[in-house]
């Protein structure tokens, strides 16, 4: 028999009861506010006039109740009440208390801005009628993620009413839902929607923080993304609009994932804005040396110290809130390595917070996606997050870009590519050299582009970044992009260059959607969006970053190719295995993989790494548990000369052509071939067959 005290002692310290019920809890007599600070010696609650946010109508001393928690109960804490806290404490290394600072309460569900640019927390009741709406729970093998920006997705959409442009309600408009469903994606991943602020440095340059990786608070939706009507009504209405967006997307069968920024806050380095955690308990909430200097593992001025129970619990409680109260389906954790650093600032996959997130019953079934790096020592951890976690696979991104772009650029100058096809094939088949057998191919979130970096169109149109508009003399943004302009930098009228670029985009999109793993499309790539060579457009809230819906014919063709590819992924389970295969064994829901060269012969060991032979036939045979058996043959040809392939000799097989990246428009012609047939393959292209 397990003793109760044994179970309690096994619980991580961050789940201790003294950290329960932080923030405001409403009751019939008003509300109770509970705030944690491990070092404070005094705390006050200030309630403000609803119109004049600089007029404190009541100041209430908060009482220490043990475990570092201060508490106050008052009938003034009713829905809509504006409030702030002031915290006093000792001086010394690591402490930055100032009892005059008005601070955001960390668990605030709503925020409003005061006349001097400071902030007031707002009590939000949060009730909402979800009706029959439920989380779609899309299986991982069927998941296709679409990463986009709430404002950028709809700001210029011609069929969405202007009042809804750039808003939560706009994203849930039928025109936007129709686009997402017709594209074939299953899960919309939104760039940060936690309340955030623009850095003073950007304001001085006349720019703004567009992406939103600068959180003020982990519980409040960003109000500027709500409609003017909701903003005028207040934080309760903003939250209601956000929930309404989630409800409508769920009713359409679409999941909502949030890109969450828990690794740092908008308070920046010492001397930056003092808005919340720095004034409540700087020593506990931020990583620092013994003399109080910040250890910045994020490149943003500070790093949240999740080795302390209160900071880790803040993150966990925020996730629970968004998952339970707002019905969010999953989270992508920005610079997730920072969250997994221990008291010695070293990453460990067994970190208490990472385990608590993975094992929490209230987060069961939630998609957990790590960005597996930060900028600190030992910050690159791709493949090391363990069971229950998906990871952005930068190794996949780099290899795919190399194969279709920088290798071909190299071959034009050196008459041969620098490497063969072996490394590319490993990525195509699920990155078994990065993710363990236990985790399988679905631990890999495959991507070719993301919000940071070149768009798909710019990746094939620019050799170098063009970031002068960011105000940093082109120093910001990645210098190594593995891009290729195909003979002209940026805009050109050369039809030969343009045609080659279009095919390169189809190769990249085709690789992404036909690879084992979970694919992520960056919003606008399906339509050939450009940022004119800016690979770090975080500070541009303008037509540069908003999606354009005025499409040329070639852009509509690219969209049609993407539609065809997502459909093929759905229809062919051999393309989306759940497990890695093992030689000589039948593994349920794996895909048995056979590899052939251009002659239809089994690939020899020397062919894998021979730069002169970059043609591969990849036969995937499903071993289904709940779908019909399926076989596909994917032909990859990675040199700029046309060739012919001999289809592999499989007795009784018939090869049905499904898709070719060489086609400007997806073809509806059904071509059938037999084993041993010669099939032409265009230069630098892909072709997919179903094997009947």
């Amino acid at each position: 028999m397990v003793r109760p005290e044994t179970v309690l002692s096994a619980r991580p310290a961050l789940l201790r009861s003294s950290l329960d019920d932080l923030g405001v809890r409403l009751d019939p007599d008003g509300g109770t506010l509970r705030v944690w600070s491990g070092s404070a010696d005094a705390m006050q609650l200030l309630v403000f006039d609803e119109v004049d946010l600089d007029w404190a109508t009541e100041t209430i001393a908060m009482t220490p109740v043990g475990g570092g928690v201060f508490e106050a109960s008052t009938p003034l804490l009713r829905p809509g009440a504006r409030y702030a806290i002031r915290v006093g404490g000792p001086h010394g290394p690591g402490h930055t208390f100032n009892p005059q600072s008005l601070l955001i309460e960390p668990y605030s569900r709503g925020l409003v801005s005061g006349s001097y640019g400071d902030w007031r927390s707002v009590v939000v009741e949060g009730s909402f009628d979800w009706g029959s709406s439920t989380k779609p729970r899309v299986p991982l093998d069927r998941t296709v993620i679409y990463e986009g920006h709430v404002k950028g997705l709809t700001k210029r959409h011609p069929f969405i009413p202007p009042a809804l442009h750039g808003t939560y309600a706009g994203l849930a408009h039928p025109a936007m839902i129709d686009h997402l469903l017709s594209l074939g994606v299953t899960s919309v991943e939104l760039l940060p929607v936690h309340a955030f602020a623009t850095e003073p440095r950007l304001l001085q340059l006349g720019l703004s923080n567009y992406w939103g990786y600068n959180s003020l608070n982990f519980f409040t939706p960003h109000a500027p993304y709500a409609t003017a009507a909701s903003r005028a009504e207040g934080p309760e209405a903003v939250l209601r609009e956000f929930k309404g967006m989630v409800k409508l997307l769920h009713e359409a069968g679409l999941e909502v994932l949030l890109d969450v920024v828990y690794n740092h806050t908008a308070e920046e380095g010492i001397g930056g804005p003092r808005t919340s955690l720095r004034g409540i308990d700087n020593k506990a909430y931020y990583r620092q040396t013994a003399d109080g200097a910040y250890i910045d593992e994020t490149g943003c001025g500070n790093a949240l110290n999740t080795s302390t129970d209160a900071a880790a619990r803040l993150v966990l409680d925020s996730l629970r809130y968004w998952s339970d109260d707002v019905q969010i389906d999953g989270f992508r954790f920005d610079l997730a390595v920072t969250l997994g650093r221990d008291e010695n600032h070293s990453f460990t996959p067994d970190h208490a917070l990472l385990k608590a997130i993975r094992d929490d019953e209230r987060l069961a079934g939630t998609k957990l996606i790590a960005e597996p790096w930060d900028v600190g020592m030992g910050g690159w951890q791709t493949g090391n997050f363990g069971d229950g976690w998906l990871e952005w696979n930068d190794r996949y991104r780099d290899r795919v870009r190399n194969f279709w772009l920088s290798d071909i650029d190299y071959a034009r100058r050196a008459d041969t590519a620098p490497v063969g096809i072996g490394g590319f094939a490993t990525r195509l088949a699920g990155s078994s050299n990065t993710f363990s057998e236990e985790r399988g191919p679905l631990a890999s979130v495959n991507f070719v582009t993301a919000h940071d970096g070149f768009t798909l169109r710019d990746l094939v149109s620019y050799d170098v970044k063009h970031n002068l508009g960011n105000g940093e003399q082109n120093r910001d943004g990645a210098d190594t992009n593995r891009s290729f302009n195909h003979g002209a930098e940026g805009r050109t009228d050369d039809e030969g260059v343009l045609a080659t670029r279009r095919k390169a985009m189809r190769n990249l999109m085709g690789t992404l959607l036909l690879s084992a793993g979970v694919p992520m499309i960056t919003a606008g790539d399906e339509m050939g969006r450009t940022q004119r060579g800016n690979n770090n457009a975080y500070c541009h809230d303008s037509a540069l970053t908003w999606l354009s819906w005025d499409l040329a014919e070639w852009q509509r063709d690219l969209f049609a190719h993407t539609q065809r590819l997502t459909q093929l992924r759905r229809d062919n389970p051999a393309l989306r295995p759940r497990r890695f295969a093992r030689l000589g064994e039948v593994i349920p829901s794996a895909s048995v993989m056979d590899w052939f060269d251009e002659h239809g012969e089994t690939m020899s060991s020397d062919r894998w790494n021979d730069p002169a032979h970059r043609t591969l036939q990849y036969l995937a045979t499903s071993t289904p548990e709940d779908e019909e058996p399926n076989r596909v043959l994917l032909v990859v040809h990675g040199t700029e000369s046309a060739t012919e392939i001999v289809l592999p000799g499989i007795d009784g097989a018939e090869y049905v052509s499904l898709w070719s990246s060489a086609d400007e428009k997806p073809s509806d012609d059904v071509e059938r071939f037999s084993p041993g047939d010669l099939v032409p393959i265009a230069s630098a292209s892909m072709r997919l067959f179903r094997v009947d």
Side-chain angles (χ1 to χ4, degrees), residues 393-582:
N393 190 349
D394 57 322
R395 293 180 177 180
Y396 176 95
R397 174 200 64 199
D398 293 349
R399 178 62 74 175
V400 171
R401 289 187 181 189
N402 280 348
F403 185 81
W404 289 119
L405 300 175
S406 56
D407 285 1
I408 288 178
D409 178 23
Y410 184 97
R412 284 192 182 185
R413 291 178 280 108
D415 295 328
T416 185
V419 296
I421 203 168
F424 175 85
T426 300
R427 299 301 165 194
L428 192 68
S431 296
S432 60
N433 60 347
T434 301
F435 299 98
S436 67
E437 182 177 328
E438 293 72 24
R439 298 178 68 191
L442 296 176
S444 175
V445 174
N446 297 331
F447 66 108
V448 176
T449 66
H451 63 275
D452 53 346
F454 282 142
T455 65
L456 184 68
R457 179 175 172 182
D458 289 354
L459 198 62
V460 304
S461 304
Y462 294 90
D463 278 352
V464 296
K465 65 187 181 183
H466 295 266
N467 296 357
L468 283 173
N470 298 356
E472 299 183 45
Q473 292 77 50
N474 211 40
R475 292 192 301 266
D476 64 305
D479 292 314
T480 302
N481 296 284
R482 297 173 167 84
S483 60
F484 179 33
N485 68 19
H486 292 87
E489 185 72 359
R491 295 189 59 162
T492 181
D493 295 324
D494 187 316
E495 181 51 39
V497 170
L498 293 174
T500 307
R501 287 177 178 178
R502 293 194 295 269
K503 185 172 61 173
M505 283 189 272
R506 297 192 293 269
N507 284 331
L508 292 165
M509 188 67 79
T511 302
L512 175 64
L513 290 169
L514 301 179
S515 293
V518 178
M520 184 187 80
I521 300 170
T522 304
D525 279 354
E526 76 276 19
M527 303 181 293
R529 181 176 76 90
T530 180
Q531 290 178 170
R532 301 197 298 272
N534 191 320
N535 75 350
N536 191 36
Y538 75 102
C539 54
H540 295 279
D541 185 356
S542 68
L544 181 72
T545 51
W546 305 334
L547 267 65
S548 172
W549 299 86
D550 183 15
L551 306 181
E553 183 177 359
W554 74 264
Q555 292 175 294
R556 291 190 288 272
D557 291 341
L558 179 60
F559 180 78
H561 272 283
T562 309
Q563 286 180 303
R564 175 69 59 85
L565 288 162
T566 58
Q567 180 67 53
L568 291 171
R569 187 176 184 86
R570 285 194 300 275
D571 292 347
N572 293 278
L575 292 169
R576 42 183 173 82
R578 301 174 191 170
R579 301 180 180 92
F580 289 127
R582 284 200 298 266

Side-chain angles (χ1 to χ4, degrees), residues 217-534:
N217 171 267
F218 299 148
F219 290 81
T220 303
H222 191 58
Y225 293 160
T227 57
S230 292
R231 296 198 307 271
E233 191 176 339
E236 192 83 57
V238 171
L239 178 59
R240 189 164 56 247
E241 181 178 324
F242 191 100
K243 290 180 177 179
M245 172 194 71
V246 175
K247 179 180 180 180
L248 289 172
L249 290 171
H250 279 178
E251 289 175 350
L254 294 162
E255 293 183 317
V256 182
L257 315 180
L258 299 186
D259 193 334
V260 286
V261 188
Y262 295 119
N263 57 81
H264 75 282
T265 75
E267 292 186 307
E268 302 184 15
I270 294 293
R274 180 198 305 266
T275 55
S276 185
L277 302 181
R278 178 174 294 139
I280 294 171
D281 195 331
N282 179 68
K283 194 168 186 176
Y285 279 113
Y286 294 119
R287 293 187 180 276
Q288 52 198 278
T289 61
D291 62 1
Y294 274 9
I295 299 172
D296 180 10
E297 290 148 338
T298 67
C300 300
N302 65 62
L304 196 71
N305 187 5
T306 54
S307 69
T308 67
D309 297 334
R313 181 63 178 271
L314 177 65
V315 173
L316 182 63
D317 285 345
S318 171
L319 294 169
R320 289 168 162 178
Y321 169 72
W322 289 98
S323 178
D324 288 349
D325 290 48
V326 194
Q327 290 291 288
I328 294 302
D329 303 279
F331 304 93
R332 178 266 187 188
F333 294 81
D334 182 63
L335 301 182
V337 169
T338 298
L339 303 182
R341 291 184 179 272
D342 59 21
E343 64 277 8
N344 298 314
H345 316 298
S346 297
F347 173 79
T348 170
D350 295 324
H351 191 283
L353 174 59
L354 299 183
K355 292 171 66 176
I357 292 170
R358 181 196 63 194
D359 297 338
D360 194 85
E361 292 183 358
R362 293 166 62 180
L363 298 177
T366 299
K367 290 180 169 69
L368 305 173
I369 305 170
E371 182 182 39
W373 53 80
D374 65 12
V375 301
M377 292 290 292
W380 189 67
Q381 295 291 336
T382 306
N384 294 332
F385 268 73
D387 291 345
W389 288 88
L390 286 69
E391 299 178 40
W392 271 24
N393 190 349
D394 57 322
R395 293 180 177 180
Y396 176 95
R397 174 200 64 199
D398 293 349
R399 178 62 74 175
V400 171
R401 289 187 181 189
N402 280 348
F403 185 81
W404 289 119
L405 300 175
S406 56
D407 285 1
I408 288 178
D409 178 23
Y410 184 97
R412 284 192 182 185
R413 291 178 280 108
D415 295 328
T416 185
V419 296
I421 203 168
F424 175 85
T426 300
R427 299 301 165 194
L428 192 68
S431 296
S432 60
N433 60 347
T434 301
F435 299 98
S436 67
E437 182 177 328
E438 293 72 24
R439 298 178 68 191
L442 296 176
S444 175
V445 174
N446 297 331
F447 66 108
V448 176
T449 66
H451 63 275
D452 53 346
F454 282 142
T455 65
L456 184 68
R457 179 175 172 182
D458 289 354
L459 198 62
V460 304
S461 304
Y462 294 90
D463 278 352
V464 296
K465 65 187 181 183
H466 295 266
N467 296 357
L468 283 173
N470 298 356
E472 299 183 45
Q473 292 77 50
N474 211 40
R475 292 192 301 266
D476 64 305
D479 292 314
T480 302
N481 296 284
R482 297 173 167 84
S483 60
F484 179 33
N485 68 19
H486 292 87
E489 185 72 359
R491 295 189 59 162
T492 181
D493 295 324
D494 187 316
E495 181 51 39
V497 170
L498 293 174
T500 307
R501 287 177 178 178
R502 293 194 295 269
K503 185 172 61 173
M505 283 189 272
R506 297 192 293 269
N507 284 331
L508 292 165
M509 188 67 79
T511 302
L512 175 64
L513 290 169
L514 301 179
S515 293
V518 178
M520 184 187 80
I521 300 170
T522 304
D525 279 354
E526 76 276 19
M527 303 181 293
R529 181 176 76 90
T530 180
Q531 290 178 170
R532 301 197 298 272
N534 191 320

